[in-house]
Amino acid sequence: MEKCKNVVGYVHSIETFGSVDGPGVRFVAFMQGCNMRCKYCHNPETWSMGGEEWTPSQLFERAWKYHNYWGKNLESGGVTVSGGEPLLQIEFVTEYFKIAKENGVHTALDTSGQPFSRDKSFLDKFDEMLRYTDLVILDFKESDSHKHRILTGHDNENIFDMARYLSDRAIPMWIRHVLVPELTDDEEDLKKMAGFIAELNTVKRVEVLPYHTLGLFKWDKLGIEYPLKDARTPSDDEVKKAEEILQTDKYI
């Protein structure tokens, strides 16, 4: 890890009192860069690389200012990296998490998993990062590979493979699925997803996130045409049905 000492990361924004991106109160860093182009993305401004530069120590020093709010239990708070796609800046995340663990802080990675590969050049870096990672929050956007490509621009085989890899290495996971009516709510696809999740050994939570349009203004600001203008927010009954299929209550 000595070679990563001088690494810098491109950070889009930070949230000092996050409450949904991992257990307890979280300091969340949203990283720049993402290869996916999800049709419902609420952070399209993070797609490109660039933005404000931080060193891992600078970011942790900022996070540490809030450590009194994290509680004494390891899982009552900590730091999370999200995005964008933080795995595109894996060396930075590794060094940041390493500093956090040296200070007894819980670490969580919020990822879509798209960069994952079993190629040695990536896997060596990934394994090193996992040494300092307490929790992976992984997005399952769609179980059908063809539909996943239409939705995001990429296949999902390597993402599911990443979930298997994490499970085999006893890394705790939260699984999330964004529910978009008439797009990601197909009953058979959800059943397929539920079956896959059931095969994993380390899933601690499964969440259904209702689609929303809170990020629509960002697409307008960037001059990008929003592809889901006619999509609606799912009803409570639709969310409940998806939760029942994915058996979210098993992981509470």
Side-chain angles (χ1 to χ4, degrees), residues 44 213 215-226 229:
T213 58
L216 181 56
F217 76 96
K218 299 179 182 179
W219 290 70
D220 292 337
K221 185 177 180 179
L222 293 170
I224 307 173
E225 183 176 358
Y226 189 64
K229 290 182 178 179

Short mmCIF file of all heavy atoms in Angstrom, two decimals, residues 44 213 215-226 229:
data_model
loop_
_atom_site.label_atom_id
_atom_site.label_comp_id
_atom_site.label_asym_id
_atom_site.label_seq_id
_atom_site.Cartn_x
_atom_site.Cartn_y
_atom_site.Cartn_z
N PRO A 44 -26.55 12.34 -12.05
CA PRO A 44 -25.85 12.31 -13.34
C PRO A 44 -24.63 13.22 -13.39
O PRO A 44 -23.75 13.02 -14.23
CB PRO A 44 -26.93 12.78 -14.33
CG PRO A 44 -27.85 13.63 -13.51
CD PRO A 44 -27.89 12.94 -12.16
N THR A 213 -38.30 11.22 -8.53
CA THR A 213 -37.83 12.15 -9.56
C THR A 213 -37.09 13.34 -8.96
O THR A 213 -36.99 14.39 -9.59
CB THR A 213 -39.03 12.66 -10.40
OG1 THR A 213 -39.97 13.31 -9.53
CG2 THR A 213 -39.72 11.52 -11.13
N GLY A 215 -34.06 13.89 -8.68
CA GLY A 215 -32.86 14.27 -9.41
C GLY A 215 -33.13 14.78 -10.82
O GLY A 215 -32.18 15.08 -11.56
N LEU A 216 -34.40 14.91 -11.19
CA LEU A 216 -34.75 15.30 -12.55
C LEU A 216 -34.16 16.65 -12.92
O LEU A 216 -33.70 16.87 -14.04
CB LEU A 216 -36.26 15.30 -12.71
CG LEU A 216 -36.82 15.67 -14.08
CD1 LEU A 216 -36.24 14.76 -15.17
CD2 LEU A 216 -38.35 15.59 -14.09
N PHE A 217 -34.15 17.59 -11.98
CA PHE A 217 -33.65 18.93 -12.28
C PHE A 217 -32.18 18.91 -12.65
O PHE A 217 -31.69 19.78 -13.39
CB PHE A 217 -33.86 19.86 -11.07
CG PHE A 217 -32.91 19.65 -9.94
CD1 PHE A 217 -31.75 20.43 -9.82
CD2 PHE A 217 -33.14 18.67 -8.98
CE1 PHE A 217 -30.87 20.24 -8.77
CE2 PHE A 217 -32.25 18.47 -7.94
CZ PHE A 217 -31.12 19.26 -7.83
N LYS A 218 -31.44 17.89 -12.17
CA LYS A 218 -30.02 17.79 -12.50
C LYS A 218 -29.83 17.45 -13.97
O LYS A 218 -28.90 17.95 -14.61
CB LYS A 218 -29.35 16.73 -11.61
CG LYS A 218 -29.42 17.04 -10.12
CD LYS A 218 -28.75 15.93 -9.31
CE LYS A 218 -28.85 16.17 -7.82
NZ LYS A 218 -28.23 15.10 -7.02
N TRP A 219 -30.68 16.57 -14.51
CA TRP A 219 -30.62 16.26 -15.93
C TRP A 219 -30.88 17.52 -16.75
O TRP A 219 -30.19 17.79 -17.73
CB TRP A 219 -31.65 15.19 -16.27
CG TRP A 219 -31.36 13.82 -15.74
CD1 TRP A 219 -31.41 13.43 -14.43
CD2 TRP A 219 -31.00 12.66 -16.48
NE1 TRP A 219 -31.11 12.09 -14.31
CE2 TRP A 219 -30.86 11.60 -15.56
CE3 TRP A 219 -30.81 12.40 -17.84
CZ2 TRP A 219 -30.52 10.29 -15.95
CZ3 TRP A 219 -30.47 11.11 -18.24
CH2 TRP A 219 -30.32 10.08 -17.30
N ASP A 220 -31.89 18.27 -16.33
CA ASP A 220 -32.23 19.52 -17.04
C ASP A 220 -31.06 20.50 -17.00
O ASP A 220 -30.73 21.14 -18.00
CB ASP A 220 -33.48 20.16 -16.42
CG ASP A 220 -34.73 19.34 -16.65
OD1 ASP A 220 -34.75 18.55 -17.62
OD2 ASP A 220 -35.68 19.48 -15.87
N LYS A 221 -30.43 20.60 -15.83
CA LYS A 221 -29.31 21.52 -15.66
C LYS A 221 -28.14 21.14 -16.54
O LYS A 221 -27.42 22.00 -17.07
CB LYS A 221 -28.89 21.56 -14.20
CG LYS A 221 -27.82 22.58 -13.89
CD LYS A 221 -27.51 22.61 -12.40
CE LYS A 221 -26.44 23.64 -12.08
NZ LYS A 221 -26.14 23.68 -10.61
N LEU A 222 -27.94 19.84 -16.72
CA LEU A 222 -26.84 19.36 -17.55
C LEU A 222 -27.18 19.33 -19.03
O LEU A 222 -26.33 19.04 -19.88
CB LEU A 222 -26.43 17.95 -17.11
CG LEU A 222 -25.79 17.84 -15.71
CD1 LEU A 222 -25.67 16.38 -15.30
CD2 LEU A 222 -24.42 18.51 -15.69
N GLY A 223 -28.44 19.62 -19.35
CA GLY A 223 -28.87 19.60 -20.74
C GLY A 223 -29.01 18.21 -21.31
O GLY A 223 -28.89 18.01 -22.53
N ILE A 224 -29.27 17.23 -20.45
CA ILE A 224 -29.43 15.84 -20.89
C ILE A 224 -30.91 15.49 -20.86
O ILE A 224 -31.60 15.74 -19.86
CB ILE A 224 -28.66 14.87 -19.98
CG1 ILE A 224 -27.19 15.29 -19.85
CG2 ILE A 224 -28.75 13.45 -20.52
CD1 ILE A 224 -26.42 14.48 -18.83
N GLU A 225 -31.40 14.90 -21.94
CA GLU A 225 -32.81 14.51 -21.98
C GLU A 225 -33.07 13.36 -21.03
O GLU A 225 -32.38 12.34 -21.06
CB GLU A 225 -33.22 14.11 -23.40
CG GLU A 225 -34.70 13.77 -23.51
CD GLU A 225 -35.11 13.46 -24.94
OE1 GLU A 225 -34.25 13.54 -25.83
OE2 GLU A 225 -36.29 13.13 -25.14
N TYR A 226 -34.06 13.52 -20.17
CA TYR A 226 -34.39 12.49 -19.19
C TYR A 226 -35.23 11.41 -19.85
O TYR A 226 -36.30 11.71 -20.41
CB TYR A 226 -35.14 13.10 -18.01
CG TYR A 226 -35.34 12.16 -16.85
CD1 TYR A 226 -34.26 11.68 -16.14
CD2 TYR A 226 -36.61 11.76 -16.46
CE1 TYR A 226 -34.42 10.82 -15.06
CE2 TYR A 226 -36.79 10.90 -15.38
CZ TYR A 226 -35.69 10.44 -14.69
OH TYR A 226 -35.85 9.58 -13.63
N LYS A 229 -39.44 10.28 -18.48
CA LYS A 229 -40.34 11.39 -18.16
C LYS A 229 -41.74 10.93 -17.76
O LYS A 229 -42.44 11.61 -17.01
CB LYS A 229 -40.42 12.34 -19.34
CG LYS A 229 -39.14 13.12 -19.59
CD LYS A 229 -39.30 14.10 -20.74
CE LYS A 229 -38.02 14.91 -20.93
NZ LYS A 229 -38.14 15.87 -22.07
#
